Amino acid sequence: QVRLEESGGGSVQAGGSLRLSCAASESLDSSYCMVWFRQAPGKGRERVAIMNPAAETTYYANSVKGRFTISRDNAKNTLYLQMSSLKPEDSAMYFCAADHYCTGGFTYLGQGTQVTVSS
């Protein structure tokens, strides 16, 4: 069982930046899409960024396009989400997930890290 552990969340003022990290307990090969999604209280899950290593593609939700960047360091088994120009509506619990064969599901899921953006 692969464990994913997020870190880097916190409180920041609008316009600020945060970098989230997701450390995996072991290497995940290119057959896994890596996903950042978020969930705010009373709202559904929103996939904000997806990396498909096999296809060498990334996807961003329109709500974060141009502000968030997904990346990974294979040597460290770590996925990142660089978030800039943060808005109060970005406040949510952020989770990373690994999706084997990019089916749209979650094979492995982290516990989440809270991001709070104040106006």
Side-chain angles (χ1 to χ4, degrees):
Q1 181 78 8
V2 175
R3 296 185 306 278
L4 301 176
E5 183 173 359
E6 302 92 337
S7 61
S11 297
V12 64
Q13 288 193 325
S17 299
L18 284 173
R19 189 178 77 159
L20 306 184
S21 299
C22 171
S25 58
E26 58 187 80
S27 176
L28 294 169
D29 65 29
S30 61
S31 65
Y32 288 86
C33 276
M34 300 303 298
V35 183
W36 284 102
F37 70 95
R38 65 188 181 188
Q39 188 162 20
K43 296 188 177 181
R45 288 175 177 172
E46 179 186 18
R47 294 171 187 263
V48 296
I50 302 171
M51 175 181 286
N52 184 332
E56 297 183 351
T57 58
T58 55
Y59 158 86
Y60 296 97
N62 287 335
S63 57
V64 306
K65 199 171 293 183
R67 301 187 297 121
F68 289 13
T69 303
I70 188 171
S71 63
R72 68 189 294 174
D73 184 334
N74 291 329
K76 297 181 178 179
N77 295 335
T78 300
L79 182 74
Y80 300 101
L81 185 68
Q82 178 67 48
M83 307 186 295
S84 303
S85 301
L86 284 163
K87 305 175 181 179
E89 51 264 43
D90 293 319
S91 296
M93 185 71 80
Y94 283 71
F95 301 85
C96 70
D99 173 9
H100 204 191
Y101 300 124
C102 306
T103 62
F106 300 138
T107 309
Y108 304 113
L109 179 64
Q111 295 297 309
T113 186
Q114 178 69 40
V115 171
T116 302
V117 184
S118 58
S119 56

